[in-house]
Amino acid sequence: MPINLAVFASGKGSNTKNICSYFSDSSDINVSLICSSSLSSGVVDYAKKTGVPSFVFSKKELVDFVALQDVLNSYCIDLIILAGFLLKIPEKLIFCYPNKIINIHPSLLPKHGGKGMFGKNVHKAVIDSGEKESGISIHFVNNKYDDGRLIFQKSCPVSSDETVDSLEKKIQLLEHVFFPKIIKQISLSL
Ligand code: GRF
């Protein structure tokens, strides 16, 4: 039986698209579901175009967890990947998927994580604090933002003339190279 992934995303979804294309020819690992908290998220259109089943839910439905749990069960989801998902993951979901929810964060945690630290906010904080390096962190999800056990980090230099946009590009490149590989490792270890 293949490992079934659900990818959760709220934003433009470059990681979601990259993960889907990385596993598109895999017989061991399938992206079986794309979940989003926003109908206008790029991933919803992408799911429709590519035929990957999708499920859009409100913050209330996420917290209630009833409908979402049914959907996750109906696709036999083994592992949940947060790829730019902005809502806090409720206890009930963490309880059902212990050490089976993975997030990626665009800084070297524990630096520059936590509530409100997403997207360009993170890169601005890194530059403003004069960091000489930044990077990506992939970690298990617990009940605090960006706080669960680290799985993998990769750093990159922050140059003296770095801008938020240039740093964002560097980080996105790292995310696209390493996130699918780490997802594969974790999936095959389940
Ligand atoms: C990424 O930078 C990721 O680290 C963070 O959210 C961003 C999502 O980017 N959690 P995208 O929507 O996949 O392009």
Side-chain angles (χ1 to χ4, degrees):
M1 282 286 279
I3 297 292
N4 293 310
L5 308 178
V7 181
F8 284 34
S10 314
K12 64 182 190 309
S14 72
N15 280 282
T16 304
K17 293 169 193 168
N18 181 54
I19 293 164
C20 287
S21 100
Y22 185 90
F23 290 112
S24 60
D25 292 330
S26 168
S27 51
D28 304 325
I29 302 166
N30 290 337
V31 177
S32 304
L33 182 66
I34 292 177
C35 289
S36 183
S37 53
S38 162
L39 248 185
S40 60
S41 158
V43 297
V44 179
D45 277 346
Y46 176 78
K48 280 190 190 130
K49 260 186 228 147
T50 53
V52 178
S54 61
F55 182 59
V56 179
F57 48 81
S58 64
K59 188 174 176 181
K60 184 175 175 302
E61 285 171 318
L62 173 65
V63 174
D64 286 348
F65 191 49
V66 178
L68 178 57
Q69 186 170 25
D70 274 355
V71 176
L72 294 174
N73 288 342
S74 70
Y75 287 98
C76 301
I77 297 302
D78 300 295
L79 191 65
I80 294 176
I81 311 300
L82 307 186
F85 185 71
L86 293 180
L87 299 179
K88 190 147 184 280
I89 297 299
E91 297 272 1
K92 286 179 196 166
L93 180 47
I94 295 169
F95 181 79
C96 290
Y97 285 87
N99 285 334
K100 288 180 181 160
I101 310 176
I102 297 173
N103 183 43
I104 187 162
H105 184 79
S107 76
L108 296 173
L109 291 173
K111 289 181 172 180
H112 311 295
K115 198 168 191 308
M117 293 306 275
F118 60 87
K120 292 183 194 289
N121 297 351
V122 179
H123 308 308
K124 184 172 184 314
V126 167
I127 292 170
D128 287 352
S129 43
E131 304 281 5
K132 296 281 176 281
E133 61 170 17
S134 189
I136 59 170
S137 301
I138 298 171
H139 65 94
F140 291 113
V141 170
N142 67 9
N143 59 358
K144 294 187 198 140
Y145 280 110
D146 306 322
D147 182 69
R149 179 157 60 88
L150 281 170
I151 302 167
F152 175 86
Q153 291 187 305
K154 185 79 183 177
S155 61
C156 63
V158 176
S159 55
S160 53
D161 59 350
E162 200 75 61
T163 63
V164 167
D165 288 345
S166 66
L167 185 55
E168 186 177 45
K169 279 196 190 111
K170 276 186 192 171
I171 297 284
Q172 193 173 66
L173 203 66
L174 290 181
E175 292 184 333
H176 290 179
V177 171
F178 291 101
F179 200 19
K181 291 184 180 164
I182 300 299
I183 293 168
K184 184 175 176 185
Q185 273 178 25
I186 302 282
S187 298
L188 297 179
S189 74
L190 288 178

